[in-house]
Amino acid sequence: MRLKNHLRKGFTGGIVFLLLFFLVGAIPASADEGMWTFDNPPIKQLQKRYGFVSTKEWLDHVRLSSVRFMDGGSGSFVSPNGLVMTNHHVAVGQLQKMSNATRNYVATGFYAATQKDELKCPDLEVNVLVSMEDVTKRVLAAVKKGMSDEEALKARRAMIAKIERESLKKTGLRSNVISLYHGGEYWLYRYKKYTDVRLVMAPERQAAYFGGDSDNFTYPRYDLDMAFFRIYENGKPIHSKNYFKWNAHGASEGELVFVSGNPGSSDRLYTYAQLEYQRDYRYPLILNYIKRWIKILRNYAKQGPEQERRALVQIFGLENAKKAMTGEYQGLLDKKLMETRKKQEDDFRKLVASNPEWQKKYGDAWDTISQVIEKEKKVAKERFYRRIIASRLAGIASTIVFYVEEIKKPDSERLEGYHDSQLNSLKFRLFSPAPIYRDMEEANLAGGLQMSLEALGPDDQFIKIVLDGRTPEEAAKELIEGTKLTDVKFRKSLVKGGTKAVKKCKDPLILLARKLEPMMRKDREWSKKYIESVLTPATEKIAKARFAVYGKDVYPDATFTLRLAYGTVKGYPMNGTKAPYKTTLYGLFDRALSFDAKGEYSLPKRFWERKNKLDLSTPVNFVSTCDIIGGNSGSPVINKKAEVVGLIFDGNIESLPGRFLYDEEKNRAVAVHTAYITEALRKLYDANALADELEGK
Amino acid sequence: MRLKNHLRKGFTGGIVFLLLFFLVGAIPASADEGMWTFDNPPIKQLQKRYGFVSTKEWLDHVRLSSVRFMDGGSGSFVSPNGLVMTNHHVAVGQLQKMSNATRNYVATGFYAATQKDELKCPDLEVNVLVSMEDVTKRVLAAVKKGMSDEEALKARRAMIAKIERESLKKTGLRSNVISLYHGGEYWLYRYKKYTDVRLVMAPERQAAYFGGDSDNFTYPRYDLDMAFFRIYENGKPIHSKNYFKWNAHGASEGELVFVSGNPGSSDRLYTYAQLEYQRDYRYPLILNYIKRWIKILRNYAKQGPEQERRALVQIFGLENAKKAMTGEYQGLLDKKLMETRKKQEDDFRKLVASNPEWQKKYGDAWDTISQVIEKEKKVAKERFYRRIIASRLAGIASTIVFYVEEIKKPDSERLEGYHDSQLNSLKFRLFSPAPIYRDMEEANLAGGLQMSLEALGPDDQFIKIVLDGRTPEEAAKELIEGTKLTDVKFRKSLVKGGTKAVKKCKDPLILLARKLEPMMRKDREWSKKYIESVLTPATEKIAKARFAVYGKDVYPDATFTLRLAYGTVKGYPMNGTKAPYKTTLYGLFDRALSFDAKGEYSLPKRFWERKNKLDLSTPVNFVSTCDIIGGNSGSPVINKKAEVVGLIFDGNIESLPGRFLYDEEKNRAVAVHTAYITEALRKLYDANALADELEGK
């Protein structure tokens, strides 16, 4: 599932940082490669390869019809009445939050036959990118001659915070200055933000996620991985002027298609030394951690059906991350991929070296990065495990403790995540009424503490503070049983009460978060000292060298902002034979019955009861060469007329090393075919009203 | 397709020799591994792993119900009236020979509703293994003390020829002394031979070979790869007392099943040096040759639909060999496989070295083999291309020229293939009335000569003799246009006329074969000097060392004689997900439609017309861990009650390196499910009489 990988993030005292923070530069794209920004679309490539002319109107329409789900996915408007389409697996977090022991929308699905039946989501934020402004000059002008690296960093940060704050004040829009090409450019992205999002329809998870973890990230595939929401403002559905018209014929083999969505992150421009670090340190560390966490949750889930229900979505997220990262890791272990990347780097460095001016300006960047990495290797494990992992309540406590301190500082001096322009979203998440299950929290926290204990040993200062002589189980029990942070009102009172209230508070998780605060801030200092002040300027140098050598005929690495990918509907060579460009409903029933319709390959009852009503030749899923990655889940696949022909939900197993290198021969984006969506809505779910709305009837 | 690979054989002046002649020893089997002889069945393994007791009666019944197709496959009796089941792709050579421009059984299929409609095959020989006798002592007793290696070889050969001749005379049965464990044992196998074999039923090739070369050697699969023959004697169907009863329920997941058939050759016991030779010399050479030959035939086939029809079966054979050998080659290129084999050898040699007596007797064998291989490397290319390749008529000419000379010698001194006991089969093939197309012959011959010219250069003596100043095209044109060898009567007259007739004959192909005869005999001498007199005794030493070290709890490498394999019906991990243990008819229609039912994925009209009559949940193909290889095509899959539950037709792509090393995790034998056979016979082919006969109604 092409979900944005949340596991790439870790919560350190409520501060979000990327686990894989060495994002670098941009690359010259070949073939159908590229996740292009809308300010620099691949106009030349489309004209040359496909004879297609993308006009400004076309691009604006596509951009304004696309949405971002802050839960970690993408989506699109598919009717003028605020109807938004995305994946079931993007929606499943909200479905879980709206479910309980007796009403399980994850298992049963949901359909609101009329608007009044639509269900409001507890904490879903949806964004539309309404404008993009190049603010590179303003940001760079903040840096004055003679400033040290650290001063330059501070000046730039202050300017970015200022631009965001001013924009928010002026427009009321979510305003983010994003760094593209890693410092090569800065852009102010303004989003229209929606928080009244209501569930319209979701099928049973077993139809959406047919084949389960086994089939995840593979193809041929047979999944109805869809969900529909409607966006409201002031209690009424919005009028979405820009939306994609429905085309139930889908795309033919060989047809040009596009994907407009929000790829989360890619690492195509790591230096070779960075790749080796990922291969030898980072991936083994994270994969081990994920596997352990899955075990913790599976043990918890064994206690009963309600526990199983509670843990399901989190287990899914972890299994999904595990499979994705395992595939990526295979890429890093692949000698051919590594050799190709080595050669790319060697060629690039030779070109830089061939020009004395470039060599002087940029030539030392690679060695600088390697030096930081040597330092990073020594502290990687320690930095990773000196965090309270796997507990949502501990994360909330930490956020509150940091919030009350940060908020007192001038905006420009605050930690990332606590700027004025970010506070609305922070509070939306922090005050979410979504249920948190104490017993699951306790299991997660105990397991997480056990992992940290094993990794760091009993004498580590973090362990001493957290356990304080207790076993992980005892500590988790006391902390979770004693906390009142499940109560949203309590959280709000602490935030409102500020430092004073927090200092007075005897809640055990708040007390712990306060004790850990100095250590967490030290960790941020480490990062500032080595990463932000040394490594980041070096990667920026490489980005600039790249512009100098290759020009701007390139795309930046993914940043969970809107991108346009293009490609051809096309099968590929697979395991000795060919994978077809599409699958059909015949194949769904074959795959189910070939496993005797058991377990991951069972189907909801309605599929068997209504089988004879279905046209079994209906296309189910299809593949294209479009270049996508986690975060693109829920993106529309559109044709030249900007009609929607499919719904991205996954990449094939061969695409996973695509995080590091795109391979047009085998890299495929997997989508639900529009024909399956309407066939299923009408014949399986009696959702004719929704199907009519999609088809503009 | 698990067809015996004829390309592993090359015709050198009509003398058949194995391209890969370094067959070695036996190995201790683990898991579901092994192609066991019926004199040494895996009784212990079956009892231990499956709790199954195989009685003598059970084993005799299975052996006598199994048949060998001399066209290169296996089969079984499936009714008391001589009805034999095998694969379509085993039958396709005969179907082709019975077809012409207006009556194309390959394309249309065939069904004889009554016995009088059954079609006699032109040159199909079918064998039943009726007895096995251990003649090791007799053969070894022929070798006297003090004989040189060469004398020992001669004495042993003379004894083998004698045993075969005596047995033929005494019993009238096809009598072959075969060497198992490469000289460890000699067995006299007696076969009941049938040559009046009639076609009962074959589906359209597009149903049998659905998915074509793309899906060949892969799984999941959806092929109706079946054909039925009936065996006659004296103009009447034989009474086949031993036959497998039909079980249309097939086998369940996890069930124990058996395969009784004739695996052609395996190379599990090459020394490491031999494997390296295969990897670095032999496979690149043969694969290049196959690819070139396919191009030659494809060019020929482009001339028109009749040419396409004529070339189809030969192209299929070449494509099949190419895919099989490419998969095997991948195994050789796989470092893990090679390391495992290296370790096996090192462990074995250490055990031999640990016993001074063993070390003295066997210890030098590996180095001896390596020395021969060094010599072989120098002449490999020359020996390969100093042959008239790719022409059937040139092969016939060569066989006749050798025949008339060999036949004059005492039986014991003749070349392999010309012993008394082998002459019936030789003549059956040599005098086959099957059509030979001059235009295709010419294209093949010209292409083959061109390949030899490029490989050897214009100054090579072979090239000088064959081309004699002409271009390959000119030579081929003159040779094929001038020959009368398409006429079976002419061939017979030469054989009958003996040396005198051959010497007088002015037929250009006979003249050429005579000119080449000395060179061909020299090549045989080379082989005798280095392979048979030096390498073979060394491999025999290794075989004996293996008995000494590991005992007889082992199976010999495959020799196209009857073997028993066993295993479990079971899916496997595949390309990131799971391959199911079976497929269904839903999947057939999915696979067709997912490629828009075009080309290799088209289906005969009747499938579309009668689709609604079919039960689409019918199992189509299934897999088991049984250890098979080329030559097993057409073998029955049977259950513990010796009921037939399936029909072997292929191995998965992961099984191809199994030529060198069996891997239970992924190695799978692919079979047609019995349920699909009867469902298709009744509902698609209106062949109720045949279905009734199978089901004993």
Side-chain angles (χ1 to χ4, degrees):
Chain A
M1 301 292 176
R2 280 309 197 181
L3 203 60
K4 183 155 175 283
N5 188 350
H6 284 292
L7 290 162
R8 300 191 151 268
K9 291 185 187 173
F11 283 82
T12 316
I15 300 150
V16 178
F17 73 98
L18 284 173
L19 286 182
L20 303 161
F21 30 54
F22 302 125
L23 296 171
V24 200
I27 31 171
S30 66
D32 289 343
E33 178 176 351
M35 305 165 181
W36 301 85
T37 52
F38 275 73
D39 72 274
N40 184 34
I43 293 173
K44 271 190 295 184
Q45 291 87 333
L46 285 169
Q47 198 144 17
K48 197 175 158 198
R49 200 162 204 211
Y50 294 99
F52 175 73
V53 179
S54 48
T55 62
K56 187 184 175 304
E57 289 68 35
W58 190 92
L59 288 163
D60 286 348
H61 173 64
V62 170
R63 174 172 52 81
L64 293 167
S65 303
S66 305
V67 309
R68 177 171 71 171
F69 277 75
M70 288 311 286
D71 277 14
S74 302
S76 62
F77 287 111
V78 284
S79 97
N81 303 311
L83 186 67
V84 166
M85 175 173 77
T86 187
N87 292 141
H88 185 278
H89 78 270
V90 171
V92 72
Q94 297 296 325
L95 293 173
Q96 175 82 341
K97 289 171 185 172
M98 292 188 278
S99 298
N100 56 38
T102 54
R103 184 190 64 189
N104 187 353
Y105 297 130
V106 176
T108 63
F110 174 82
Y111 173 55
T114 66
Q115 284 183 9
K116 70 176 190 323
D117 302 318
E118 295 171 1
L119 284 181
K120 187 166 173 177
C121 298
D123 55 6
L124 179 57
E125 179 184 327
V126 169
N127 298 155
V128 177
L129 178 58
V130 292
S131 79
M132 302 164 293
E133 189 185 328
D134 188 351
V135 294
T136 312
K137 277 185 190 159
R138 259 187 96 184
V139 172
L140 294 185
V143 179
K144 305 297 176 197
K145 259 194 179 167
M147 280 182 172
S148 70
D149 273 345
E150 215 160 323
E151 286 166 339
L153 178 71
K154 199 175 163 188
R156 219 158 40 201
R157 282 184 161 188
M159 179 55 76
I160 287 170
K162 190 180 171 206
I163 294 170
E164 289 182 344
R165 199 168 56 240
E166 283 174 3
S167 169
L168 174 65
K169 209 171 165 187
K170 187 175 142 197
T171 64
L173 294 167
R174 184 192 237 274
S175 300
N176 302 132
V177 172
I178 58 159
S179 156
L180 295 177
Y181 310 96
H182 301 279
E185 290 182 352
Y186 292 89
W187 285 78
L188 170 61
Y189 274 31
R190 290 195 183 101
Y191 294 95
K192 174 74 181 157
K193 185 174 90 174
Y194 299 102
T195 51
D196 184 354
V197 185
R198 305 191 189 175
L199 178 65
V200 179
M201 194 274 165
E204 304 90 340
R205 185 162 185 270
Q206 197 49 38
Y209 194 49
F210 175 78
D213 183 56
S214 293
D215 282 5
N216 196 8
F217 289 112
T218 71
Y219 181 81
R221 198 71 163 284
Y222 312 91
D223 285 3
L224 186 62
D225 195 351
M226 65 173 188
F228 293 90
F229 292 95
R230 195 181 305 281
I231 293 185
Y232 283 68
E233 263 188 334
N234 308 318
K236 279 183 188 160
I238 63 163
H239 172 62
S240 42
K241 200 182 73 179
N242 286 288
Y243 71 96
F244 294 119
K245 292 228 164 69
W246 197 257
N247 181 334
H249 297 295
S252 313
E253 190 171 13
E255 190 174 328
L256 169 65
V257 290
F258 305 85
V259 173
S260 170
N262 301 273
S265 71
S266 59
D267 306 322
R268 298 212 175 138
L269 288 185
Y270 273 152
T271 66
Y272 192 73
Q274 289 176 306
L275 285 181
E276 287 181 321
Y277 173 71
Q278 294 298 319
R279 183 190 64 197
D280 302 332
Y281 289 80
R282 205 69 194 161
Y283 272 80
L285 191 65
I286 302 180
L287 278 168
N288 176 57
Y289 156 75
I290 293 176
K291 284 173 196 167
R292 285 288 300 268
W293 195 359
I294 290 172
K295 269 191 201 156
I296 292 163
L297 280 163
R298 287 208 185 285
N299 274 337
Y300 165 77
K302 272 183 204 154
Q303 293 175 36
E306 172 57 10
Q307 282 83 358
E308 197 185 334
R309 184 195 71 77
R310 290 176 180 182
L312 179 93
V313 170
Q314 204 166 20
I315 289 175
F316 157 67
L318 288 165
E319 291 277 18
N320 189 59
K322 178 182 148 195
K323 201 162 181 184
M325 292 188 72
T326 301
E328 293 165 4
Y329 187 44
Q330 289 307 315
L332 291 170
L333 295 175
D334 175 11
K335 281 181 186 159
K336 219 174 118 193
L337 184 148
M338 291 294 275
E339 277 165 17
T340 305
R341 289 293 309 270
K342 183 82 178 74
K343 194 179 174 309
Q344 282 180 351
E345 178 165 309
D346 291 346
D347 291 348
F348 181 25
R349 290 186 73 170
K350 266 182 216 151
L351 287 167
V352 170
S354 71
N355 179 321
E357 193 195 337
W358 291 347
Q359 179 62 19
K360 198 181 157 200
K361 269 183 168 169
Y362 315 125
D364 65 349
W366 286 268
D367 293 341
T368 304
I369 290 173
S370 296
Q371 284 154 19
V372 174
I373 284 173
E374 286 311 309
K375 289 196 175 65
E376 182 73 2
K377 285 178 183 174
K378 292 192 191 101
V379 296
K381 193 168 137 188
E382 187 180 289
R383 291 190 73 208
F384 189 82
Y385 281 107
R386 278 190 177 174
R387 304 176 296 128
I388 295 191
I389 45 190
S391 162
R392 170 119 177 79
L393 288 171
I396 288 171
S398 198
T399 302
I400 292 171
V401 167
F402 272 80
Y403 178 91
V404 296
E405 292 306 311
E406 291 301 304
I407 205 72
K408 293 188 289 191
K409 300 177 187 168
D411 191 30
S412 61
E413 287 176 21
R414 293 180 203 160
L415 289 175
E416 179 59 22
Y418 297 91
H419 292 299
D420 279 348
S421 61
Q422 299 171 317
L423 294 184
N424 276 347
S425 289
L426 183 149
K427 286 181 187 166
F428 186 63
R429 289 195 308 274
L430 188 59
F431 302 146
S432 165
I436 298 176
Y437 303 106
R438 278 179 193 271
D439 59 343
M440 192 163 97
E441 274 288 304
E442 197 182 312
N444 270 336
L445 181 55
L449 292 177
Q450 178 65 33
M451 276 195 258
S452 289
L453 173 61
E454 287 171 26
L456 302 170
D459 297 330
D460 182 87
Q461 46 173 319
F462 172 84
I463 294 297
K464 281 184 176 167
I465 294 173
V466 177
L467 293 187
D468 197 15
R470 300 169 292 188
T471 66
E473 288 73 24
E474 288 164 359
K477 194 173 155 72
E478 282 180 35
L479 290 165
I480 300 299
E481 279 188 357
T483 190
K484 283 178 285 182
L485 286 170
T486 48
D487 179 3
V488 177
K489 272 186 218 151
F490 178 60
R491 294 177 215 162
K492 282 184 177 164
S493 74
L494 286 170
V495 164
K496 205 179 164 195
T499 306
K500 211 176 144 190
V502 168
K503 279 197 174 159
K504 258 181 28 194
C505 179
K506 298 285 176 242
D507 188 282
L509 277 175
I510 294 287
L511 286 173
L512 178 61
R514 282 182 57 211
K515 275 190 211 156
L516 289 172
E517 190 186 348
M519 191 183 285
M520 299 295 124
R521 289 197 182 271
K522 247 194 198 163
D523 184 79
R524 293 298 302 171
E525 281 308 309
W526 192 98
S527 176
K528 208 171 163 186
K529 189 171 169 191
Y530 295 111
I531 307 300
E532 286 152 72
S533 298
V534 182
L535 188 132
T536 305
T539 60
E540 283 174 7
K541 271 189 191 174
I542 293 180
K544 281 171 193 160
R546 203 169 292 274
F547 281 141
V549 171
Y550 298 113
K552 215 192 146 182
D553 202 5
V554 294
Y555 63 92
D557 255 322
T559 48
F560 200 41
T561 54
L562 194 65
R563 302 295 177 90
L564 184 69
Y566 64 93
T568 305
V569 175
K570 198 176 174 182
Y572 58 96
M574 189 197 79
N575 219 45
T577 181
K578 292 188 274 193
Y581 77 97
K582 68 174 179 192
T583 61
T584 73
L585 272 173
Y586 281 110
L588 172 65
F589 288 100
D590 175 59
R591 188 102 182 127
L593 289 167
S594 69
F595 288 96
D596 295 327
K598 284 187 294 198
E600 290 178 318
Y601 298 98
S602 62
L603 275 173
K605 232 195 259 173
R606 69 175 85 232
F607 281 74
W608 302 109
E609 289 166 355
R610 300 179 179 212
K611 180 163 61 76
N612 294 335
K613 285 190 184 175
L614 294 168
D615 174 357
L616 295 180
S617 67
T618 304
V620 169
N621 293 162
F622 69 100
V623 284
S624 66
T625 58
C626 294
D627 188 5
I628 63 161
I629 201 163
N632 267 117
S633 277
S635 299
V637 185
I638 57 174
N639 63 17
K640 286 188 275 192
K641 291 185 194 164
E643 295 164 337
V644 60
V645 294
L647 168 61
I648 289 292
F649 73 99
D650 211 351
N652 60 353
I653 198 94
E654 293 86 348
S655 75
L656 292 174
R659 166 167 290 277
F660 308 107
L661 192 71
Y662 174 85
D663 170 15
E664 186 177 303
E665 197 201 358
K666 291 188 165 185
N667 194 327
R668 292 295 180 275
V670 187
V672 188
H673 196 284
T674 40
Y676 184 30
I677 294 176
T678 42
E679 181 80 1
L681 286 176
R682 292 192 190 283
K683 297 188 185 167
L684 291 170
Y685 294 94
D686 299 326
N688 281 309
L690 177 55
D692 286 346
E693 186 177 350
L694 289 173
E695 299 191 320
K697 284 179 187 168
Chain B
M1 301 291 176
R2 279 308 196 181
L3 203 60
K4 182 155 175 281
N5 189 350
H6 285 292
L7 290 161
R8 299 192 152 265
K9 293 184 186 173
F11 283 82
T12 317
I15 300 152
V16 178
F17 73 98
L18 284 173
L19 286 183
L20 304 160
F21 31 54
F22 303 125
L23 296 172
V24 199
I27 31 172
S30 66
D32 289 343
E33 178 175 352
M35 306 164 180
W36 301 85
T37 53
F38 275 73
D39 72 274
N40 184 35
I43 293 173
K44 270 189 295 183
Q45 292 86 336
L46 285 169
Q47 197 144 17
K48 197 176 157 198
R49 200 163 204 209
Y50 292 100
F52 174 73
V53 178
S54 48
T55 62
K56 185 183 177 303
E57 290 68 36
W58 190 91
L59 289 163
D60 286 348
H61 174 64
V62 169
R63 173 171 53 81
L64 293 167
S65 303
S66 305
V67 308
R68 177 170 73 171
F69 276 76
M70 287 312 286
D71 276 16
S74 302
S76 62
F77 287 112
V78 284
S79 96
N81 304 311
L83 187 67
V84 165
M85 175 172 77
T86 186
N87 292 140
H88 184 278
H89 78 271
V90 171
V92 72
Q94 297 296 325
L95 294 173
Q96 174 83 340
K97 289 171 185 172
M98 293 188 278
S99 297
N100 56 37
T102 54
R103 185 190 61 189
N104 187 353
Y105 297 130
V106 177
T108 63
F110 174 83
Y111 174 55
T114 66
Q115 285 183 7
K116 69 175 193 320
D117 301 319
E118 294 172 0
L119 284 183
K120 187 167 174 177
C121 298
D123 54 8
L124 179 56
E125 179 185 325
V126 169
N127 299 155
V128 177
L129 178 59
V130 291
S131 79
M132 302 165 292
E133 188 186 329
D134 188 350
V135 293
T136 312
K137 278 184 191 162
R138 259 187 96 185
V139 172
L140 295 185
V143 180
K144 306 297 176 199
K145 260 196 177 169
M147 279 182 173
S148 71
D149 273 346
E150 215 158 323
E151 285 165 340
L153 177 71
K154 203 175 161 187
R156 218 159 39 203
R157 281 184 163 190
M159 179 54 76
I160 288 170
K162 191 181 171 205
I163 295 171
E164 288 181 346
R165 199 168 55 242
E166 282 175 3
S167 169
L168 174 65
K169 211 171 164 186
K170 185 175 144 198
T171 63
L173 294 168
R174 183 192 237 272
S175 301
N176 301 132
V177 171
I178 57 159
S179 157
L180 294 178
Y181 309 95
H182 302 279
E185 290 181 353
Y186 291 90
W187 286 78
L188 171 60
Y189 274 32
R190 290 197 182 100
Y191 294 96
K192 174 76 182 155
K193 185 174 90 174
Y194 299 101
T195 51
D196 184 355
V197 185
R198 305 192 189 174
L199 178 65
V200 178
M201 194 274 165
E204 305 89 339
R205 184 161 186 272
Q206 197 49 39
Y209 194 50
F210 175 77
D213 183 55
S214 293
D215 282 5
N216 197 7
F217 289 111
T218 72
Y219 180 82
R221 197 72 162 283
Y222 312 90
D223 286 3
L224 186 61
D225 195 349
M226 65 172 187
F228 293 91
F229 292 96
R230 195 181 305 282
I231 293 186
Y232 284 69
E233 263 188 334
N234 308 317
K236 278 185 189 161
I238 64 163
H239 173 61
S240 42
K241 199 183 73 178
N242 286 287
Y243 70 95
F244 294 118
K245 291 227 166 69
W246 197 256
N247 181 334
H249 297 295
S252 313
E253 190 172 13
E255 190 174 328
L256 168 65
V257 290
F258 305 86
V259 173
S260 170
N262 300 273
S265 71
S266 59
D267 306 323
R268 298 213 174 138
L269 288 185
Y270 274 151
T271 66
Y272 193 74
Q274 288 176 307
L275 285 180
E276 286 180 323
Y277 173 72
Q278 294 297 319
R279 182 190 65 197
D280 301 334
Y281 288 80
R282 205 71 195 160
Y283 273 80
L285 191 65
I286 303 180
L287 278 168
N288 176 57
Y289 155 77
I290 293 176
K291 284 173 196 166
R292 285 289 300 269
W293 195 0
I294 291 172
K295 268 190 200 156
I296 292 163
L297 280 163
R298 287 209 185 283
N299 274 337
Y300 165 75
K302 271 183 205 153
Q303 293 175 36
E306 172 57 9
Q307 282 82 0
E308 198 185 334
R309 185 194 70 76
R310 289 177 179 181
L312 179 93
V313 170
Q314 204 165 22
I315 290 175
F316 156 66
L318 289 164
E319 291 277 18
N320 190 59
K322 178 181 146 195
K323 201 161 181 184
M325 292 188 71
T326 301
E328 293 165 2
Y329 186 43
Q330 290 307 314
L332 292 170
L333 294 175
D334 175 10
K335 281 180 188 160
K336 219 173 117 194
L337 184 147
M338 291 295 275
E339 277 164 17
T340 306
R341 288 294 309 269
K342 183 83 178 68
K343 194 179 173 313
Q344 283 180 351
E345 178 166 307
D346 291 346
D347 292 348
F348 182 23
R349 290 186 72 170
K350 265 181 217 153
L351 286 168
V352 170
S354 70
N355 179 322
E357 193 195 337
W358 292 347
Q359 179 62 18
K360 198 181 158 200
K361 268 183 167 169
Y362 315 125
D364 64 350
W366 286 269
D367 293 341
T368 303
I369 290 174
S370 296
Q371 283 154 19
V372 174
I373 285 173
E374 287 311 309
K375 290 196 174 65
E376 182 73 1
K377 284 179 184 173
K378 292 192 189 100
V379 295
K381 193 169 139 187
E382 188 180 288
R383 291 190 73 208
F384 190 84
Y385 281 108
R386 277 190 178 175
R387 304 176 297 128
I388 295 190
I389 45 189
S391 162
R392 169 120 177 81
L393 288 172
I396 287 170
S398 197
T399 302
I400 292 171
V401 167
F402 271 81
Y403 178 91
V404 296
E405 292 307 310
E406 291 301 303
I407 206 72
K408 292 190 289 191
K409 300 177 188 168
D411 192 30
S412 62
E413 287 176 20
R414 294 179 203 160
L415 288 174
E416 178 60 22
Y418 296 91
H419 293 298
D420 278 349
S421 61
Q422 300 171 317
L423 293 185
N424 276 348
S425 289
L426 183 149
K427 285 182 187 166
F428 186 63
R429 289 194 308 273
L430 188 60
F431 301 147
S432 164
I436 297 176
Y437 303 107
R438 278 178 192 273
D439 60 342
M440 193 163 95
E441 275 288 305
E442 196 182 313
N444 271 335
L445 182 55
L449 293 176
Q450 178 66 32
M451 275 195 257
S452 288
L453 172 61
E454 287 171 25
L456 302 170
D459 297 329
D460 182 87
Q461 45 172 321
F462 172 84
I463 294 297
K464 280 183 177 166
I465 293 174
V466 176
L467 294 186
D468 197 16
R470 301 169 292 189
T471 66
E473 288 74 23
E474 288 164 359
K477 195 173 155 73
E478 283 180 35
L479 289 165
I480 300 299
E481 279 187 358
T483 190
K484 283 179 285 182
L485 285 170
T486 48
D487 179 3
V488 177
K489 274 187 219 151
F490 178 60
R491 294 177 216 163
K492 283 184 178 167
S493 73
L494 286 170
V495 165
K496 205 178 164 193
T499 305
K500 211 175 146 190
V502 167
K503 280 198 172 158
K504 259 180 27 191
C505 178
K506 299 283 178 244
D507 190 283
L509 277 176
I510 294 287
L511 286 173
L512 178 61
R514 283 183 57 212
K515 275 189 212 158
L516 289 173
E517 191 187 348
M519 191 183 286
M520 298 296 124
R521 289 198 182 272
K522 247 194 199 163
D523 184 79
R524 291 300 299 171
E525 281 309 309
W526 192 97
S527 177
K528 207 170 163 186
K529 189 170 169 192
Y530 295 111
I531 307 299
E532 286 153 72
S533 298
V534 182
L535 187 131
T536 305
T539 60
E540 284 174 7
K541 271 189 192 175
I542 293 180
K544 281 171 192 160
R546 202 170 293 275
F547 281 141
V549 171
Y550 297 113
K552 218 193 146 182
D553 203 5
V554 294
Y555 62 93
D557 254 322
T559 48
F560 200 41
T561 53
L562 194 66
R563 302 295 177 90
L564 184 69
Y566 64 92
T568 305
V569 175
K570 197 176 173 184
Y572 57 97
M574 189 196 78
N575 219 44
T577 180
K578 291 188 275 192
Y581 78 98
K582 68 173 179 192
T583 62
T584 73
L585 272 173
Y586 281 111
L588 172 67
F589 288 99
D590 175 59
R591 187 101 182 128
L593 289 167
S594 69
F595 287 98
D596 295 327
K598 283 188 295 199
E600 291 178 317
Y601 299 97
S602 63
L603 274 173
K605 232 195 257 173
R606 70 175 86 232
F607 280 75
W608 301 109
E609 289 167 355
R610 300 179 178 212
K611 180 163 61 75
N612 294 335
K613 286 190 183 175
L614 294 168
D615 174 358
L616 295 179
S617 67
T618 304
V620 170
N621 293 163
F622 69 99
V623 284
S624 66
T625 58
C626 294
D627 188 6
I628 63 161
I629 201 163
N632 266 116
S633 277
S635 300
V637 185
I638 57 174
N639 63 16
K640 286 188 274 190
K641 291 185 195 164
E643 295 164 336
V644 60
V645 294
L647 168 60
I648 288 292
F649 72 100
D650 211 351
N652 61 352
I653 198 93
E654 294 86 348
S655 74
L656 291 174
R659 166 168 291 277
F660 309 107
L661 193 71
Y662 174 84
D663 170 15
E664 185 176 303
E665 197 201 357
K666 290 187 165 187
N667 194 327
R668 292 294 180 277
V670 187
V672 188
H673 196 284
T674 40
Y676 184 29
I677 294 177
T678 42
E679 180 80 1
L681 286 176
R682 293 193 188 281
K683 297 189 183 166
L684 291 170
Y685 294 95
D686 298 326
N688 281 309
L690 177 54
D692 286 346
E693 186 176 351
L694 289 173
E695 298 191 321
K697 286 182 185 166

